[in-house]
Amino acid sequence: MTVTLDQPASIRTRDPKELLNAVSPHITELTVNVFDSGMSLWDREVALLLRDHTMVRDMAERILGNAVMYSIGCIEHPEVHLGVGKLVDVGVHQLILDTPVWFGICRLYNGGAYKHHAPFIERRRDGLCLRTADFLKSIGFDVDGELWAIDGTDCSPCDNKVPDSH
């Protein structure tokens, strides 16, 4: 006998790939550069990670997914101090450096306001990464615990006191 439990819609896991690909119609700058390959935004950002970092595709996708989760979490909850470890931060920087995509993310998810990236110089060593992973789980994301645990006590938080920063 098989028993299946249906999850309520409110517990549905949020898909970072879907969230990133939904940004496409909100990109208005340098559209030829962004869309000339015919790739989805997800595949584009993964390809850029693979171009600039030594890793296999699976790792690039894991990093990008968690970077999208973190970025969306920061945008949706500016009142919560969040921090990211070195590995996931590679993906966060990828999103921010692809400025047409980052502007599109800000248009869609931050009401059009630019979300600044204002990191502190000194890393925090108080477990903020692990608390951030727990927070992201609480808002519906299926975080990759292994990626967050790697830097669990060595975070590179941004200044939440700067207006609209993460």
Side-chain angles (χ1 to χ4, degrees):
M1 173 179 177
T2 303
V3 176
T4 57
L5 299 175
D6 293 326
Q7 285 186 333
S10 63
I11 301 180
R12 181 170 117 40
T13 302
R14 301 168 75 188
D15 183 356
K17 186 175 184 177
E18 287 177 15
L19 291 169
L20 183 57
N21 284 335
V23 172
S24 288
H26 302 275
I27 295 175
T28 59
E29 298 87 11
L30 303 171
T31 56
V32 171
N33 298 46
V34 175
F35 299 118
D36 67 346
S37 69
M39 295 179 175
S40 68
L41 287 185
W42 177 266
D43 289 332
R44 172 185 168 77
E45 299 308 312
V46 168
L48 289 169
L49 280 170
L50 291 171
R51 181 194 73 185
D52 295 339
H53 302 279
T54 304
M55 64 179 76
V56 296
R57 183 175 178 92
D58 177 67
M59 182 58 78
E61 289 183 339
R62 290 171 64 193
I63 290 170
L64 180 61
N66 282 266
V68 169
M69 294 176 210
Y70 171 76
S71 298
I72 296 296
C74 289
I75 288 170
E76 291 178 348
H77 298 277
E79 76 284 359
V80 179
H81 193 92
L82 302 173
V84 66
K86 293 176 189 178
L87 192 55
V88 175
D89 207 22
V90 168
V92 173
H93 289 165
Q94 177 54 54
L95 293 170
I96 293 169
L97 290 173
D98 196 354
T99 58
V101 173
W102 187 247
F103 287 3
I105 289 169
C106 292
R107 274 189 201 98
L108 179 58
Y109 297 113
N110 201 36
Y114 185 76
K115 185 73 166 176
H116 293 278
H117 182 60
F120 287 121
I121 300 297
E122 295 295 320
R123 292 189 179 278
R124 288 176 58 161
R125 290 173 174 79
D126 63 357
L128 182 61
C129 283
L130 297 175
R131 291 193 305 279
T132 297
D134 288 341
F135 178 77
L136 294 176
K137 287 179 200 173
S138 79
I139 61 170
F141 288 114
D142 184 18
V143 301
D144 186 328
E146 188 174 52
L147 294 183
W148 292 88
I150 289 170
D151 299 310
T153 59
D154 193 17
C155 299
S156 55
C158 290
D159 187 353
N160 67 338
K161 293 170 185 54
V162 174
D164 204 26
S165 172
H166 68 87

